Amino acid sequence: MFPKIVIHNSISLDGSLTNFQPNMDLHYKIAGNYEAEAHLIGSNTAKIGVTLYGNGIPQEEKKDYVKAKRDKNLPYWVIIDTKGALRGILHICRRFEFSRDIIILLSEETPNEYIEYLRERNYDHHIVGKSHVNLREALKILSTQYGVKTVLTDTGRILGNLLLNQGLVSEISLLIHPLIVGKDAYPILSDVKNTLNLTLQKKETLDKGYVWLVYKVNP
């Protein structure tokens, strides 16, 4: 079994992922339509989110060593972190109330001290790949061990483009914002290596000039 992979991003009219203020309420409302069992996130995106948390990073507590017991309908957060970038701050992710719990994807070159850190705190973690995470194998694990049927990723360009380059993406969902970033644009698809043929599945005009487009990625 192999899960359906959906890339969902908010972009400007000229295809930029950053340097504008996205409508996060609308972004997550659309993301929720997919009812994904897992959200795939890069460690850099997760770390940026954590550093924006409130007024600094709260201290880790004993309760942070225990797996969260939340609604099974909530999605897992699956984070690729081969270098241990989230060591010492991962408890912030675990505390997020809209996540079922955290799963960490590692490589054979991940530092041993980080693996021990994860074990001590009862984080599910999987070593898949030598120096980088083997995304195909990781997705199979999510399917067979966690029953994941749909994976949604709304992280940055690097991970999304890697998934596209490896032929793993089933669908691309784009919330187009009514603005142009211009010279400071950070283009969403600039690292895609080959031409990909798409089929338009949905085009929905929303309030205030937003447009939601959904494309099927053809094999």
Side-chain angles (χ1 to χ4, degrees):
M1 296 294 292
F2 199 78
K4 174 182 178 180
I5 314 301
V6 178
I7 292 176
H8 172 60
N9 281 126
S10 288
I11 62 171
S12 65
L13 183 60
D14 54 340
S16 181
L17 272 172
T18 62
N19 295 320
F20 71 98
Q21 183 60 50
N23 185 331
M24 298 311 296
D25 288 342
L26 188 54
H27 175 95
Y28 286 118
K29 181 180 179 181
I30 291 173
N33 291 332
Y34 285 98
E35 298 182 344
E37 294 88 0
H39 287 193
L40 184 61
I41 308 165
S43 59
N44 188 53
T45 298
K47 190 170 185 178
I48 290 171
V50 166
T51 55
L52 295 175
Y53 182 91
N55 297 315
I57 305 298
Q59 290 291 320
E60 191 175 34
E61 302 175 12
K62 286 186 178 180
K63 65 180 181 181
D64 295 315
Y65 283 60
V66 181
K67 283 181 174 293
K69 294 181 180 180
R70 300 195 183 106
D71 188 340
K72 292 183 179 180
N73 292 317
L74 290 171
Y76 289 104
W77 276 16
V78 184
I79 304 176
I80 300 171
D81 189 16
T82 58
K83 296 181 180 179
L86 297 176
R87 183 181 180 187
I89 58 176
L90 196 53
H91 60 286
I92 304 302
C93 296
R94 175 170 266 175
R95 290 182 187 183
F96 187 64
E97 62 182 330
F98 297 112
S99 164
R100 182 172 174 181
D101 201 13
I102 309 299
I103 301 169
I104 304 296
L105 302 178
L106 310 171
S107 73
E108 294 176 15
E109 296 183 2
T110 297
N112 288 331
E113 56 268 26
Y114 186 51
I115 297 174
E116 186 59 29
Y117 165 89
L118 297 173
R119 286 174 179 159
E120 289 176 351
R121 290 156 178 79
N122 298 297
Y123 287 105
D124 284 15
H125 56 280
H126 302 275
I127 298 173
V128 277
K130 185 171 179 58
S131 58
H132 301 284
V133 166
N134 183 319
L135 292 170
R136 187 174 294 276
E137 290 303 313
L139 292 168
K140 287 180 182 178
I141 288 172
L142 293 179
S143 175
T144 57
Q145 296 191 25
Y146 298 92
V148 171
K149 296 178 180 179
T150 301
V151 176
L152 185 140
T153 180
D154 62 349
T155 187
R157 179 175 74 190
I158 295 174
L159 178 55
N161 286 195
L162 280 172
L163 290 165
L164 285 166
N165 286 333
Q166 294 181 32
L168 301 175
V169 178
S170 304
E171 194 169 297
I172 300 172
S173 165
L174 299 174
L175 175 59
I176 300 177
H177 288 53
L179 56 87
I180 294 172
V181 173
K183 63 181 181 62
D184 294 324
Y186 181 71
I188 180 176
L189 299 172
S190 62
D191 294 327
V192 175
K193 295 179 179 179
N194 300 307
T195 299
L196 300 176
N197 293 312
L198 310 175
T199 299
L200 181 65
Q201 291 189 314
K202 181 189 287 286
K203 177 184 177 183
E204 189 171 334
T205 301
L206 307 172
D207 290 342
K208 299 181 180 179
Y210 294 92
V211 177
W212 179 28
L213 300 177
V214 179
Y215 289 93
K216 175 185 175 183
V217 181
N218 298 321

